[in-house]
Amino acid sequence: MPLQVSNYSWQQTKTAVFLSLPLRGVCVRDADVFCTENYLKVNFPPFLFEAFLYAPIDDESSKAKIGNDTIDFTLYKKEAVMWETLSVSGVDKEMMQRIRENSILQAQEKAKEATEAKAIAKREDQKYTLNVMMKIEEEERKKIEDMKENERRKATKELEAWKECQRKAEERKRIQKEKKLHQQEKQTEEERKKLKHKNLTKNSASRNLATKGRNSENIFFAKLKEDCIPAPRSVGNIKINFTPRVFPTALRESKVAEEEEWLHKQAEARRAMNTDIPEFCDLKEDEKNPEWLKEKGNKLFATEDYLAAINAYNLAIRLNNKIPLLYLNRAACHLKLKNLHKAIEDSSKALELLTPHVADNANARMKAHVRRGTAFCQLELYVEGLQDYEAALKIDPANKIVQNDAEKIRNVIQGTELKS
């Protein structure tokens, strides 16, 4: 049987009740306090305290302090009135049991409401988090779209500038050709005049010789005739040299202007060297070559030392930032290290430098699209990734690996395949 605690003390104001309950050895861990608006219970074995309160209290704002062998309660009244007693007098056992049961039901109902409110708050937090993530993804997608649009505008602007340079070059060639033709015509006219003057001089000399004897006339006339007849042309061979072709396609099937521009850009890229950087002071002369650094990076990539390979490509790019294969190979390293945004940037830079589109750079352009598409897919931007894979298939339609990967991306977009 529990021991009922009766040696308590209490005080009150119009708004609050202060109850002090002495319990030897009481602590927070072992004391069980249950409070509703009409019922207060403290269970600290073997002690038990119950109070059927005189008037309702605000159980949510009321407080209890446990310590120093005492539990001090601060109970806030719902109505600002003075109580005659702490507990209701004349309560029988049935009424006590009913008050206990109602208090338990009331506590359970409040706990249920609190649980539902917590669940609603959790759902609201999840909804807010989802909206924030969707907004971030939308901003990221818009950023990528803006990047692609800027690349397209830049490429169009460069193409227009190149066309204008070609037009001016053609105009200069035409003017030079016309000047040369005019000079040749003028020279031919002067030669014709000299030849005509020479013939007139010879005819005059022949008429003067005609006044002499017949024999002498025949002799000198034959000699004059021999002088007027030009000598036969000499026999020889004419060597014909064909224009050298760098690209294997026939001239009628190739894009001469685009191919010439590509070769010109590659030659300029090889000449554009920047060796005045302090980091290159300790390098040998042959190590200051971007091609040497590129081969070094390729060997490090083959040994799976991707960070060292990136450093080699970085030095090569600082020496010469016009070589597209440096960006393309560095994008492969970033893919291995899951630096997806940097892989997208390097692939885009390689595509920017791989212009104009000719057969010589088709394989590099295909790889750049595949690597950028792979980075997009790993960022779960499947639509952008599929666009790059389709661009790669336009370059190499027979590539089975790219075809299979593009089909998998379509399945993911259509919802027929779970994300791996």
Side-chain angles (χ1 to χ4, degrees):
M1 289 291 291
L3 300 177
Q4 295 287 339
V5 179
S6 58
N7 57 339
Y8 62 87
S9 61
W10 70 287
Q11 297 177 354
Q12 66 172 325
T13 64
K14 285 188 177 182
T15 58
V17 174
F18 304 97
L19 173 63
S20 178
L21 188 65
L23 293 172
R24 179 176 297 178
V26 69
C27 61
V28 177
R29 181 186 60 193
D30 298 330
D32 182 16
V33 178
F34 177 72
C35 181
T36 62
E37 63 179 12
N38 292 313
Y39 179 67
L40 175 63
K41 175 183 175 182
V42 177
N43 183 20
F44 177 60
F47 302 103
L48 177 66
F49 174 78
E50 280 187 314
F52 301 93
L53 301 176
Y54 183 82
I57 63 170
D58 186 358
D59 55 329
E60 292 183 357
S61 59
S62 297
K63 302 176 183 179
K65 182 180 179 181
I66 301 175
N68 297 326
D69 297 336
T70 307
I71 301 179
D72 295 321
F73 291 96
T74 302
L75 308 176
Y76 293 101
K77 302 176 181 179
K78 284 192 173 181
E79 296 181 359
V81 295
M82 300 298 290
W83 292 3
E84 296 179 1
T85 60
L86 178 65
S87 297
V88 179
S89 59
V91 180
D92 56 9
K93 290 184 178 180
E94 293 181 358
M95 188 174 181
M96 289 180 182
Q97 185 64 27
R98 188 166 58 251
I99 292 174
R100 291 190 189 101
E101 292 175 354
N102 291 337
S103 298
I104 293 172
L105 291 175
Q106 184 180 2
Q108 290 176 348
E109 187 67 25
K110 288 186 177 180
K112 183 179 179 181
E113 292 177 357
T115 302
E116 292 178 353
K118 186 176 181 181
I120 292 172
K122 184 178 180 180
R123 287 196 296 271
E124 291 294 328
D125 291 342
Q126 291 176 347
K127 185 177 179 181
Y128 174 76
T129 304
L130 181 61
N131 290 334
V132 171
M133 291 298 296
M134 291 176 63
K135 186 176 179 181
I136 292 173
E137 289 181 358
E138 183 65 25
E139 291 176 353
E140 189 70 22
R141 188 178 291 106
K142 185 177 179 182
K143 181 180 178 181
I144 294 171
E145 290 293 335
D146 292 341
M147 185 189 305
K148 292 169 70 176
E149 181 65 20
N150 291 334
E151 290 176 2
R152 187 189 64 79
R153 291 178 180 175
K154 187 175 181 180
T156 304
K157 186 176 180 180
E158 290 179 353
L159 182 59
E160 292 296 330
W162 175 81
K163 287 182 178 179
E164 182 66 19
C165 292
Q166 289 294 107
R167 187 187 63 79
K168 291 181 179 179
E170 291 293 332
E171 184 68 19
R172 287 194 296 269
K173 288 181 181 179
R174 186 184 62 79
I175 294 173
Q176 292 176 357
K177 187 176 180 181
E178 289 179 355
K179 289 181 178 179
K180 187 176 180 180
L181 183 61
H182 180 70
Q183 291 176 355
Q184 290 178 351
E185 291 177 352
K186 187 176 180 181
Q187 186 177 359
T188 304
E189 185 66 25
E190 291 177 355
E191 290 178 355
R192 189 183 294 111
K193 288 181 179 180
K194 290 180 180 179
L195 183 59
K196 185 177 180 181
H197 180 70
K198 186 177 180 181
N199 291 335
L200 290 174
T201 305
K202 289 181 179 180
N203 290 334
S204 176
S206 63
R207 282 195 297 272
N208 292 331
L209 290 173
T211 58
K212 296 184 178 181
R214 185 172 182 178
N215 293 332
S216 62
E217 178 182 355
N218 293 335
I219 295 171
F220 287 104
F221 180 75
K223 186 177 180 181
L224 182 61
K225 187 175 182 181
E226 290 177 359
D227 292 338
C228 294
I229 299 175
R233 294 180 180 177
S234 59
V235 179
N237 295 325
I238 299 176
K239 186 178 180 180
I240 299 175
N241 295 324
F242 293 98
T243 304
R245 295 284 296 155
V246 177
F247 299 94
T249 54
L251 183 60
R252 63 180 179 277
E253 298 176 358
S254 64
K255 301 177 181 179
V256 179
E258 287 82 352
E259 292 172 352
E260 291 297 330
E261 181 190 0
W262 170 251
L263 293 175
H264 181 67
K265 286 177 66 177
Q266 294 306 299
E268 284 187 349
R270 285 190 292 270
R271 289 194 298 268
M273 298 288 289
N274 185 14
T275 58
D276 297 333
I277 303 173
E279 287 84 342
F280 299 134
C281 296
D282 297 334
L283 296 179
K284 299 178 182 178
E285 287 302 323
D286 56 346
E287 294 176 351
K288 295 180 181 180
N289 187 347
E291 291 297 329
W292 185 89
L293 289 169
K294 180 171 74 70
E295 293 300 325
K296 185 70 174 178
N298 294 345
K299 291 177 182 178
L300 292 169
F301 181 87
T303 60
E304 298 184 0
D305 192 354
Y306 304 122
L307 288 175
I310 288 176
N311 289 334
Y313 295 136
N314 288 343
L315 286 175
I317 289 172
R318 295 187 70 181
L319 278 170
N320 191 331
N321 59 0
K322 300 296 183 182
I323 300 177
L325 292 182
L326 297 175
Y327 296 95
L328 186 60
N329 294 355
R330 192 171 69 177
C333 295
H334 285 310
L335 269 180
K336 292 291 185 180
L337 296 173
K338 301 300 181 183
N339 299 330
L340 303 178
H341 292 286
K342 291 184 178 180
I344 292 172
E345 291 177 2
D346 280 349
S347 300
S348 301
K349 183 63 177 179
L351 288 172
E352 179 183 332
L353 294 174
L354 288 168
T355 53
H357 298 167
V358 294
D360 192 49
N361 59 26
N363 187 48
R365 286 186 284 116
M366 187 270 291
K367 289 182 180 179
H369 281 297
V370 169
R371 288 171 187 172
R372 188 169 70 177
T374 302
F376 278 135
C377 291
Q378 292 185 13
L379 286 170
E380 297 185 0
L381 300 174
Y382 298 108
V383 175
E384 290 78 3
L386 181 59
Q387 292 176 358
D388 273 315
Y389 269 88
E390 289 177 346
L393 284 174
K394 288 181 181 179
I395 299 172
D396 187 5
N399 194 313
K400 296 296 183 182
I401 297 176
V402 179
Q403 289 178 1
N404 294 336
D405 290 345
E407 186 62 29
K408 289 180 182 178
I409 297 171
R410 292 190 189 95
N411 292 336
V412 172
I413 293 173
Q414 295 170 3
T416 58
E417 179 176 309
L418 295 175
K419 295 180 181 178
S420 58

